[in-house]
Amino acid sequence: MELRVNERVERLRLDPRVTLLDTVRDRLGLTGTKKGCDRGQCGACTVHVDGRRVLACLTLAGSVTGRRVTTIEGLARGSALHPVQQAFLDHDGFQCGFCTSGQIMSAVAVLREGQARSPEQIREHMSGNICRCGAYGPIVEAIRAVGAVD
C-alpha cells in the first residue's frame, strides 16, 4: 500500500490489521508518535489525517491510503519549529515529555478548528489528551499564546 506521511509517499507491504501507530513507529521510524494506552484513551498517539486529529492506535494503516498523514515530525519546517511546538517550549508545556507530541498535535488541530477561544474551551477540546505529570496549566498557556485568546 501507499501512505503519504509528512509529505513523503511511502510504499509498504502491511498486514491489513496493523495500526497506523505501529506503522509510523515500527516501519517508518517516526517515534515521536507515542504508544501510551494502545486503547484510544490517552491521546499520546494523536496524528493528523487530512488535517483532522485521529488516534493512531485506533486507526488501521490501510484506512489512510491516499490520505495525508502528519506526525509530530512533520510539523516543523526545516529547523523552524511550528508555532505550537515553540510555545510549548516557551511556556514549559511539558514535564516528562511522553504526552507532549500528542498534546501538540491536538493543540494544532484545536487552533485550526477555532476551538481555542477561552481557557475553558481549550481545556474542553484538549480533554482527550492525558498528561500524567499534570502540566495542564502550561499547556493551556502555550495554546493561548499561539491563539492569542483572553
Side-chain angles (χ1 to χ4, degrees):
M1 73 180 59
E2 274 189 8
L3 297 180
R4 183 176 168 194
V5 180
N6 298 333
E7 301 305 323
R8 289 186 55 198
V9 175
E10 305 283 352
R11 286 193 170 90
L12 302 165
R13 195 173 175 95
L14 298 172
D15 182 306
R17 298 167 293 180
V18 71
T19 65
L20 181 57
L21 174 61
D22 289 337
T23 302
V24 298
R25 287 186 58 80
D26 300 339
R27 295 295 300 275
L28 301 179
L30 300 172
T31 57
T33 304
K34 303 300 183 202
K35 184 179 269 198
C37 66
D38 215 18
R39 295 181 179 158
Q41 297 173 338
C42 72
C45 67
T46 303
V47 298
H48 296 170
V49 176
D50 291 338
R52 297 183 60 120
R53 56 185 160 163
V54 301
L55 298 172
C57 73
L58 298 181
T59 304
L60 293 176
S63 73
V64 298
T65 300
R67 299 172 73 191
R68 195 176 78 250
V69 177
T70 306
T71 68
I72 190 74
E73 292 90 349
L75 286 184
R77 295 292 171 238
S79 63
L81 293 177
H82 185 281
V84 174
Q85 290 172 309
Q86 187 62 54
F88 268 65
L89 289 172
D90 294 344
H91 294 273
D92 295 323
F94 57 92
Q95 285 185 26
C96 80
F98 191 80
C99 72
T100 305
S101 60
Q103 296 277 0
I104 289 170
M105 295 305 287
S106 280
V108 169
V110 165
L111 287 161
R112 186 182 308 123
E113 294 161 3
Q115 303 298 331
R117 292 186 288 272
S118 70
E120 295 76 21
Q121 194 175 36
I122 292 169
R123 283 191 282 279
E124 174 68 24
H125 289 276
M126 291 290 294
S127 65
N129 290 79
I130 306 297
C131 175
R132 291 185 176 127
C133 299
Y136 296 112
I139 289 168
V140 170
E141 289 306 310
I143 298 168
R144 289 180 67 206
V146 175
V149 292
D150 296 326

